[in-house]
Amino acid sequence: MNPSSNIFPSLSLVVPLYEEEDNVAPLLARIHEGLAGYAGAWELICVDDGSRDGTGRVLQAAGADYGPHVRVIRLRRNFGQTAAMQAGLEAARGELIATLDGDLQNDPADIPRLVEELLERDLDLLQGWRQKRQDGWLLRKLPSLIANRLIARVTGVRLHDYGCSLKVYRAEVIQRVRLFGEMHRFIPVWVAGVTDPRRIGESPVAHEARRFGRSKYGLSRTFRVLLDLLAAFFFLRYRARPGHFFGGFGLFFGLLGSAIMGYMLVVK
């Protein structure tokens, strides 16, 4: 932990990265600049998700320059953003945890304000909302708009921007959630399963266009999101009573089969 006063809770910042070699140096510089005035102790956990470029090597070198409050986790292969984020959450030691993308599109300077707002509003999760999103319309904004509205309608957790990685959580809450698949988009939904949905809020954050590297997102990701949405819907609604879900299908097909058998008996 980077030592500071005890006015604020300790903070762990988790950043998953995949093939972001050119972004590492400016990212760490902006994080330290943005958190320079943070009133509590903080640490930075960078998770290299099996990058094939020099991301891991640059991270370790930069971490050594900044000090022990910068911790680097290197996964042996590319497991995906959700798994990388889960690895960082498990390693976090702060009372609060913030997550951030490694592509420099989120502004680390927003984090202290989000922490203050989370504490003032007594929330367990404060979700960033990219009101002025700097991404392409067809490949990024349109699929995200459709996914956000669909998730809100299906799950009942109504937010504007589920896909924004800039979030602040209470560690005791988010560490009760196990992430898998493409579930990083559904984190507010999973958190709603362990706390009151009224303790989940959102706040506008800055967003910038990507300067280095290439995006890892595309239209194909939308289909995976739809499959994960079905899984999220099932666990959110029927986790404690799976028989109500499968039993409904069983009852329907059972009645249908009985009707067919009755018809065949009459014909016979």
Side-chain angles (χ1 to χ4, degrees), residues 145-167:
L145 178 64
I146 295 172
N148 286 328
R149 292 185 175 180
L150 189 60
I151 294 169
R153 179 172 292 274
V154 170
T155 66
V157 181
R158 301 194 177 278
L159 298 171
H160 291 88
D161 190 3
Y162 292 86
C164 181
S165 294
L166 182 51
K167 302 176 176 69

Side-chain angles (χ1 to χ4, degrees), residues 13-17 43-51 55-56 59-60 70-77 83-92:
L13 176 55
V14 174
V15 185
L17 301 101
E43 66 176 353
L44 170 61
I45 302 174
C46 297
V47 183
D48 173 28
D49 186 24
S51 300
T55 299
L59 275 174
Q60 288 187 318
V70 178
R71 301 163 59 197
V72 178
I73 299 174
R74 300 187 67 177
L75 305 184
R76 292 185 178 275
R77 69 173 181 84
M85 189 173 293
Q86 178 66 40
L89 294 174
E90 291 176 355

Side-chain angles (χ1 to χ4, degrees), residues 7 13 26 31 34 58 63 78 81 95 108 129 137-138 152 174 182 187 190 193 197 212 216 221 224 243 262:
I7 298 176
L13 176 55
I31 288 174
V58 176
N78 177 232
Q81 184 175 353
E95 299 168 83
W129 175 13
W137 170 255
L138 180 62
I174 188 59
E182 298 283 340
I187 287 178
W190 294 114
F212 306 109
K216 284 58 173 193
R221 197 179 190 90
R224 297 198 297 272

Side-chain angles (χ1 to χ4, degrees), residues 19 49 63 67 73 82 88 116-118 125-126 130 140-141 145 153 180 183 200 202 210 212 219 226 233 235 241-242:
E19 298 187 352
D49 186 24
I73 299 174
T82 302
E116 291 184 15
E117 187 173 341
L118 178 131
L125 163 60
L126 186 58
R130 299 165 292 183
R140 299 295 299 274
K141 288 185 179 179
L145 178 64
R153 179 172 292 274
F180 55 91
M183 291 302 186
I200 299 174
E202 62 182 347
R210 175 183 274 273
F212 306 109
L219 288 174
L226 291 176
F233 173 77
F235 282 105
R241 47 189 178 93

Side-chain angles (χ1 to χ4, degrees), residues 29-245:
R30 289 185 62 181
I31 288 174
H32 282 80
E33 180 181 348
L35 294 181
Y38 183 70
W42 63 276
E43 66 176 353
L44 170 61
I45 302 174
C46 297
V47 183
D48 173 28
D49 186 24
S51 300
R52 292 166 294 184
D53 61 0
T55 299
R57 172 180 50 79
V58 176
L59 275 174
Q60 288 187 318
D65 291 338
Y66 279 103
H69 67 284
V70 178
R71 301 163 59 197
V72 178
I73 299 174
R74 300 187 67 177
L75 305 184
R76 292 185 178 275
R77 69 173 181 84
N78 177 232
F79 289 96
Q81 184 175 353
T82 302
M85 189 173 293
Q86 178 66 40
L89 294 174
E90 291 176 355
R93 298 177 294 200
E95 299 168 83
L96 302 179
I97 300 176
T99 54
L100 185 77
D101 266 340
D103 55 12
L104 289 175
Q105 292 192 263
N106 299 136
D107 189 355
D110 280 325
I111 295 175
R113 175 184 59 81
L114 293 177
V115 169
E116 291 184 15
E117 187 173 341
L118 178 131
L119 296 175
E120 289 174 359
R121 296 170 60 182
D122 192 25
L123 300 174
D124 289 328
L125 163 60
L126 186 58
Q127 166 77 53
W129 175 13
R130 299 165 292 183
Q131 289 183 328
K132 298 180 179 179
R133 185 170 179 179
Q134 305 299 312
D135 281 321
W137 170 255
L138 180 62
L139 294 180
R140 299 295 299 274
K141 288 185 179 179
L142 180 60
S144 182
L145 178 64
I146 295 172
N148 286 328
R149 292 185 175 180
L150 189 60
I151 294 169
R153 179 172 292 274
V154 170
T155 66
V157 181
R158 301 194 177 278
L159 298 171
H160 291 88
D161 190 3
Y162 292 86
C164 181
S165 294
L166 182 51
K167 302 176 176 69
V168 178
Y169 324 77
R170 294 187 190 271
E172 60 182 332
V173 174
I174 188 59
Q175 289 178 336
R176 293 168 58 190
V177 177
R178 178 73 184 181
L179 303 177
F180 55 91
E182 298 283 340
M183 291 302 186
H184 61 276
R185 179 180 290 275
F186 300 96
I187 287 178
V189 177
W190 294 114
V191 170
V194 298
T195 190
D196 191 326
R198 291 174 295 182
R199 295 181 63 85
I200 299 174
E202 62 182 347
S203 182
V205 296
H207 192 249
E208 302 177 16
R210 175 183 274 273
R211 291 189 294 168
F212 306 109
R214 60 181 180 84
S215 173
K216 284 58 173 193
Y217 301 91
L219 288 174
S220 62
R221 197 179 190 90
T222 304
F223 300 104
R224 297 198 297 272
V225 168
L226 291 176
L227 294 176
D228 284 330
L229 178 59
L230 292 176
F233 173 77
F234 172 79
F235 282 105
L236 189 66
R237 297 290 182 87
Y238 298 101
R239 178 174 53 185
R241 47 189 178 93
H244 289 196
F245 179 82

